[in-house]
Amino acid sequence: MTLKICIAQLNYCVGDMPGNAQKIIDAARTAYDSGARLVLTPELAICGYAAEDLFLRPSFIQACDDAVNRVASELAGLKGLTVVVGTPIQGDSSLALRTRSVAVQQRHNAARVLREGQVVDTYAKRELPNYQVFDERRYFTPGQGTCVFTAGEGADAVRVGLLICEDAWFEEPARLAKEAGAQLLAVINASPFHVGKGDEREQTMRHRVHATGLPLLYAHLVGGQDEIVFEGRSFALQADGQLAGRAESFQERLFFTDAASHPGSVRLAAATAPERETDADLWDALVLGVRDYLGKNGFPGAILGLSGGIDSALVLAIAVDALGADKVRAVMMPSPYTADISWMDAREMAARMRVRYDEISIVPEFEAFKASLATEFKGLKEDTTEENIQARIRGVLLMALSNKFGSIVLTTGNKSEMATGYCTLYGDMAGGFAVIKDLAKTTVFRLARWRNAHDPYGTGSNPIPERIITRPPSAELRPDQTDQDSLPPYEVLDAILERYMENDQGVETIVAAGFDRAIVERVTRLIRINEYKRRQAPVGIRVTHRSFGKDWRYPITSKFKA
């Protein structure tokens, strides 16, 4: 009296409906051969998450319908197999309205229940998130019904209540599924990663099983999509909230669970992947984000400016773990202010990582710019203007190499710099993907030490020279410069940034917590006045619960002070 269930924790690609359909077909056949009679795919698996304004195109929805029909047709011969496929569907088109000024959506974030070539049931998501990186109310209208279907046959049969992601964070959808006869809750999801999110999901689902008295399966996807990353980590909970099993994080897996029916209850059994360190999750999220951004967009490799500093060192290590040394190129571009130890450390790290390494001096270009501007700048002291010229020369050189050879430029700025504007438009901000855009500087240092102590992808232990980690950080754009000439100590800056930017605390609250008022006002002012820079920054990987991306939507022009 046991139903074997398979969660297809796979890496789906937005817009690749034929490819995603084939993944589902292949997974279902493998699962069926292994004895599974229920296969769960993640939320919107047929089209990938999130397709954003592609959802507004009728041809996109039609392509999704065609792909689901193909899955149903090709699996029709697998007797007794039920497959749940996440897909967008068109609602009542007579109620839809779209003009140049008004849009009323009538499509749903849904799931089709397929069996032996037929769509036997459909469920439309009831709770639509519209916060952080989510915009589902822009595209979908809420569902109203419930979906409870039977999986398996005879004594193995289980009544399954279907929910989609946000539904399970609220009480009513699960309660209605139980009232409709569900013995097991199956939740299909597309829940973006941030540090700590995995534990938060499991705890929230425990509340759901405690409220309903039903066991729960959580089906999740894995992969990178633009700025967001999905870490997998699908899991199963018993009706009492105990963990019954958990899939690996950041890896594609067919995660099998046995659902054994007993009088009045269903017990789950599955393998359990071990708990992981926070920094291991963080590292894998960054690696997967880089690998999928380049891989899914067809870039042949990556190029970055290697300065001998901590930020570019960390980005190089991430890139090599993501792509392999043969697809990463590092370029050192010394200026008149580059210290000898920067050259030495950059060369040493490139050798440790076994990447192509080149040195291109920017001194001739810098002198040429100064000569061209000498008449205009006559009598004026050198200042940030000349510093920015150096950064922009480097940007031009990297983009020229990118254009000529096709590799994407990885920028190396961190969250602390992005917050305060300690970066140069069209200079160090020039590039196609901002790998550590959501890492505070203190996290950069911590993660560099973690990587030196671990070699998770077998690309080399201790890749970052110790001096890069221990020396005071500097942009090296003027003599004897350090970051703290312009910014508070990073321990202070990052703590204020977390409170103000990530948690919406005001100046008075932060000061009351013990921070110096002058520093708080200075930092928050820098955050406010540099919004125009951030709007022009490349997309980057989101790893905190609030990043400078989709979940930060502040006006550029504003007089409000928090």
Side-chain angles (χ1 to χ4, degrees):
M1 296 190 297
T2 299
L3 171 68
K4 185 179 285 292
I5 303 169
C6 175
I7 293 174
Q9 179 179 292
L10 302 175
N11 191 336
Y12 304 89
C13 183
V14 166
D16 184 12
M17 279 69 89
N20 295 334
Q22 191 61 53
K23 274 181 176 278
I24 294 168
I25 292 164
D26 292 344
R29 286 173 173 159
T30 299
Y32 189 81
D33 290 343
S34 299
R37 292 302 178 263
L38 172 60
V39 174
L40 302 173
T41 70
E43 179 179 11
L44 295 173
I46 204 70
C47 62
Y49 194 100
E52 302 187 68
D53 279 10
L54 288 174
F55 288 127
L56 303 178
R57 304 191 71 87
S59 59
F60 186 82
I61 304 301
Q62 183 61 56
C64 292
D65 291 343
D66 293 344
V68 172
N69 290 336
R70 178 188 162 209
V71 173
S73 175
E74 295 214 18
L75 298 179
L78 302 183
K79 181 174 173 55
L81 177 67
T82 302
V83 181
V84 175
V85 179
T87 182
I89 63 172
Q90 185 61 49
D92 187 345
S93 57
S94 68
L95 299 177
L97 173 64
R98 186 178 179 189
T99 71
R100 294 175 65 183
S101 302
V102 178
V104 177
Q105 307 306 338
Q106 284 298 322
R107 70 183 66 80
H108 300 289
N109 180 342
R112 301 288 198 190
V113 182
L114 311 179
R115 186 180 302 125
E116 297 178 13
Q118 302 296 316
V119 176
V120 298
D121 213 336
T122 297
Y123 176 72
K125 187 175 182 180
R126 299 171 64 99
E127 304 291 343
L128 301 178
N130 225 66
Y131 54 85
Q132 291 183 341
V133 298
F134 301 105
D135 275 316
E136 292 200 18
R137 293 178 196 169
R138 177 178 174 87
Y139 308 114
F140 303 117
T141 190
Q144 301 297 323
T146 59
C147 177
V148 178
F149 62 90
T150 300
E153 298 176 333
D156 296 340
V158 175
R159 296 281 288 165
V160 180
L162 183 58
L163 305 175
I164 300 179
C165 203
E166 190 82 356
D167 290 336
W169 293 70
F170 291 85
E171 194 169 304
E172 185 179 45
R175 176 178 58 79
L176 292 174
K178 181 179 182 179
E179 291 174 357
Q183 299 170 285
L184 168 68
L185 297 176
V187 188
I188 65 171
N189 304 270
S191 178
F193 169 83
H194 65 246
V195 172
K197 185 64 177 286
D199 290 337
E200 184 183 352
R201 288 194 206 102
E202 288 188 18
Q203 189 56 41
T204 300
M205 295 306 105
R206 283 191 180 91
H207 294 323
R208 205 54 52 235
V209 301
H210 286 150
T212 60
L214 298 179
L216 180 147
L217 283 171
Y218 189 99
H220 200 208
L221 74 156
V222 64
Q225 170 59 31
D226 296 345
E227 71 184 60
I228 56 178
V229 173
F230 302 96
E231 85 270 33
R233 191 177 157 148
S234 301
F235 59 89
L237 297 178
Q238 306 288 16
D240 62 2
Q242 293 297 308
L243 184 70
R246 183 194 296 124
E248 291 86 346
S249 299
F250 301 101
Q251 297 180 47
E252 289 191 296
R253 284 290 182 269
L254 297 184
F255 178 59
F256 291 94
T257 302
D258 289 331
S261 297
H262 301 280
S265 68
V266 173
R267 292 285 297 177
L268 304 179
T272 301
E275 290 281 4
R276 292 163 50 88
E277 295 179 80
T278 296
D279 286 343
D281 276 350
L282 187 53
W283 189 265
D284 283 349
L286 294 166
V287 166
L288 183 57
V290 170
R291 180 185 297 141
D292 275 2
Y293 192 81
L294 271 70
K296 291 179 178 180
N297 286 295
F299 289 103
I303 186 169
L304 67 141
L306 189 65
S307 67
I310 186 71
D311 296 318
S312 62
L314 189 69
V315 171
L316 177 60
I318 293 166
V320 171
D321 277 5
L323 308 171
D326 60 321
K327 293 185 178 180
V328 181
R329 180 179 180 183
V331 183
M332 170 56 145
M333 295 167 285
S335 77
Y337 310 113
T338 300
D340 288 344
I341 58 174
S342 297
W343 293 65
M344 296 163 61
D345 291 343
R347 291 170 182 167
E348 174 64 22
M349 182 166 183
R352 292 186 188 186
M353 296 257 77
R354 298 184 295 278
V355 298
R356 175 175 174 177
Y357 171 80
D358 299 284
E359 293 175 357
I360 304 174
S361 173
I362 68 167
V363 173
E365 292 86 352
F366 185 42
E367 293 302 324
F369 269 104
K370 288 199 294 183
S372 296
L373 293 164
T375 301
E376 295 290 336
F377 290 176
K378 185 177 181 180
L380 301 175
K381 293 181 179 179
E382 291 194 359
D383 54 18
T384 54
T385 304
E386 284 74 19
E387 295 178 24
N388 289 340
I389 287 172
Q390 296 170 70
R392 289 177 178 130
I393 292 169
R394 292 184 173 117
V396 168
L397 292 174
L398 289 174
M399 289 307 301
L401 293 170
S402 173
N403 291 161
K404 186 64 69 175
F405 300 108
S407 295
I408 189 173
V409 175
L410 302 180
T411 65
T412 60
N414 60 65
K415 191 172 191 175
S416 308
E417 295 170 349
M418 294 298 298
T420 57
Y422 194 61
C423 46
T424 302
L425 276 175
Y426 328 119
D428 55 318
M429 291 176 67
F433 199 54
V435 179
I436 59 172
K437 180 181 181 179
D438 200 27
L439 293 188
K441 187 76 167 191
T442 49
T443 307
V444 169
F445 280 104
R446 190 187 79 230
L447 204 55
R449 290 213 174 274
W450 183 90
R451 178 58 181 87
N452 270 4
H454 301 81
D455 184 15
Y457 294 88
T459 59
S461 60
N462 200 40
I464 303 175
E466 180 67 15
R467 186 166 53 192
I468 289 180
I469 300 174
T470 57
R471 66 183 290 206
S474 170
E476 293 191 325
L477 297 173
R478 63 174 183 266
D480 303 317
Q481 182 183 25
T482 68
D483 289 3
Q484 270 53 68
D485 297 340
S486 304
L487 298 172
Y490 280 116
E491 293 78 7
V492 175
L493 170 61
D494 291 349
I496 294 171
L497 175 60
E498 180 180 7
R499 289 172 175 271
Y500 180 84
M501 181 265 174
E502 295 182 11
N503 297 323
D504 286 324
Q505 292 185 10
V507 169
E508 297 303 326
T509 301
I510 300 172
V511 171
F515 292 86
D516 179 85
R517 177 178 293 277
I519 294 177
V520 173
E521 290 184 346
R522 178 183 168 204
V523 169
T524 55
R525 176 182 177 274
L526 288 172
I527 294 172
R528 288 197 308 273
I529 67 174
N530 283 291
E531 186 62 32
Y532 78 101
K533 282 190 179 182
R534 291 188 291 270
R535 290 287 186 93
Q536 300 178 67
V539 64
I541 305 167
R542 175 186 185 266
V543 293
T544 67
H545 73 273
R546 194 173 201 187
S547 67
F548 286 120
K550 289 183 181 179
D551 42 350
W552 176 266
R553 306 183 190 187
Y554 271 54
I556 296 172
T557 306
S558 172
K559 296 295 185 183
F560 179 75
K561 298 180 181 180

